[in-house]
């Protein structure tokens, strides 16, 4: 046992050197550990040089608010998922604010041309009445394109009267030119209409259609992707924009004062005395352009049908504005 009076550096018994060697060994090991940690930190920093993070004095990366990057310098970014809006549900909710007269039915479809979002309420078939005149002219223009020709002077005269003043005799003349129901159905297959069937014989007004199909037809007229040429689309749009004043009701009620292009149809069924009232077209509301189709049947008068169609058009467009339904739409017979 060492004497308590042994002075530092004493070599008594040869025992003081060994503790110093152990101390030096501990110092060396500690130094090696620090150097090793620094080396590891340096390797970490080099491997993560792409994240732009600072390095602390201890050699390890400082905490960073930016995402760390894998080797190669490209930062990984978590994908941002946009909320999904159920447009059909919003339209259904909006349509519940519309007062539908007893025994009547209504269906509506709307498309936001800017976003491409669309919605449909109701899938039943309705008589077209005079809205089929847009389809007849689209079929005629498609036939002319296929033949590499323009419309004749007579065809143009019929087309103007058929769309602008809803002249029935002109519609009958062009119905014959396109091959009646067979010709209309052939064109509609190319346009993508799947629920529309031409009326029998000369009864073009009893063509059966759906709101969804009418929206598809409107896209052929007003959209960029169409079987119709730009010249054909421009011609049809021009006529729909110059419908006479007393026929500018219907989907135009959803517009906020801007111009609209449309075609309406109305027909009293001889078997029941009840009315078919329909409206299709393009409107602008709140700076957004919409395609709108509203079909109705079973109202007791044309006026009641117009009120129903206009209320439904407002509700349909309102369901897109601000992401929710319009609470003010209602129809009164």
């Amino acid at each position: 046992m060492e004497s308590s009076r042994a002075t530092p550096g004493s070599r008594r018994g040869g025992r003081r050197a060994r503790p110093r060697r152990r101390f030096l060994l501990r110092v060396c090991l500690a130094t090696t550990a620090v150097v090793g940690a620094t080396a590891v930190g340096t390797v970490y920093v080099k491997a993560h040089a792409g994240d732009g993070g600072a390095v602390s004095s201890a050699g390890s990366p400082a905490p960073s608010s930016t995402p760390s990057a894998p080797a190669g310098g490209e930062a990984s970014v978590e994908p941002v998922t946009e909320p999904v809006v159920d447009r059909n549900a919003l339209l259904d909710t909006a349509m519940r604010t519309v007062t539908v007269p007893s025994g009547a039915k209504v269906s509506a479809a709307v498309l936001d041309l800017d976003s491409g979002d669309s919605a449909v309420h109701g899938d039943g078939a309705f008589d077209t009445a005079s809205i089929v005149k847009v389809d007849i002219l689209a079929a005629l223009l498609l036939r002319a394109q296929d033949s590499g020709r323009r419309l004749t002077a007579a065809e143009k005269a019929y087309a103007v009267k058929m769309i602008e003043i809803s002249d029935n005799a002109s519609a009958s003349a062009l119905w014959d030119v396109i091959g009646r129901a067979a010709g209309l159905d052939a064109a509609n297959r190319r346009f993508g209409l799947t629920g529309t069937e031409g009326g029998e014989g000369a009864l073009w007004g009893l063509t059966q259609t759906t709101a969804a199909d009418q929206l598809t037809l409107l896209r052929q007229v007003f959209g960029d992707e169409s079987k119709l040429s730009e010249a054909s689309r421009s011609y049809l749009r021009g006529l729909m924009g110059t419908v006479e004043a007393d026929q500018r009701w219907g989907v135009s009620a959803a517009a906020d004062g801007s111009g609209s292009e449309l075609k309406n149809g109305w027909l009293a069924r001889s078997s029941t005395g009840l009315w078919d009232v329909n409206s299709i077209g393009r409107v602008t509301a709140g700076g957004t352009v919409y395609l709108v189709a509203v079909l109705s049947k079973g109202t007791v008068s044309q006026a009641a049908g117009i009120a129903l169609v206009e209320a439904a058009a407002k509700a349909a467009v309102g369901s897109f504005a601000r992401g929710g339904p319009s609470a003010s739409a209602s129809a009164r017979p």
Side-chain angles (χ1 to χ4, degrees), residues 84-126:
V84 177
V85 178
D86 189 340
R87 291 295 183 186
N88 285 327
L90 289 175
L91 178 55
D92 288 342
T93 300
M95 291 297 290
R96 285 197 288 272
T97 70
V98 176
T99 302
V100 180
S102 176
K105 293 183 178 180
V106 65
S107 180
V110 61
L111 167 73
D112 180 337
L113 269 181
D114 295 334
S115 69
D117 290 346
S118 64
V120 178
H121 170 82
D123 57 2
F126 292 74

Side-chain angles (χ1 to χ4, degrees), residues 94-184:
M95 291 297 290
R96 285 197 288 272
T97 70
V98 176
T99 302
V100 180
S102 176
K105 293 183 178 180
V106 65
S107 180
V110 61
L111 167 73
D112 180 337
L113 269 181
D114 295 334
S115 69
D117 290 346
S118 64
V120 178
H121 170 82
D123 57 2
F126 292 74
D127 299 329
T128 57
S130 285
I131 61 170
V132 75
K133 293 170 181 176
V134 173
D135 205 0
I136 292 172
L137 183 50
L140 176 65
L141 290 167
L142 188 61
R143 286 170 65 91
Q145 286 177 202
D146 291 344
S147 300
R149 68 172 183 87
R150 297 181 178 181
L151 299 186
T152 67
E155 288 170 342
K156 285 184 177 180
Y158 287 138
V160 170
K161 289 190 292 183
M162 179 177 71
I163 301 298
E164 290 187 345
I165 65 173
S166 203
D167 182 65
N168 291 338
S170 296
S172 294
L174 295 182
W175 179 249
D176 290 339
V177 171
I178 67 170
R180 295 191 169 188
L184 187 78

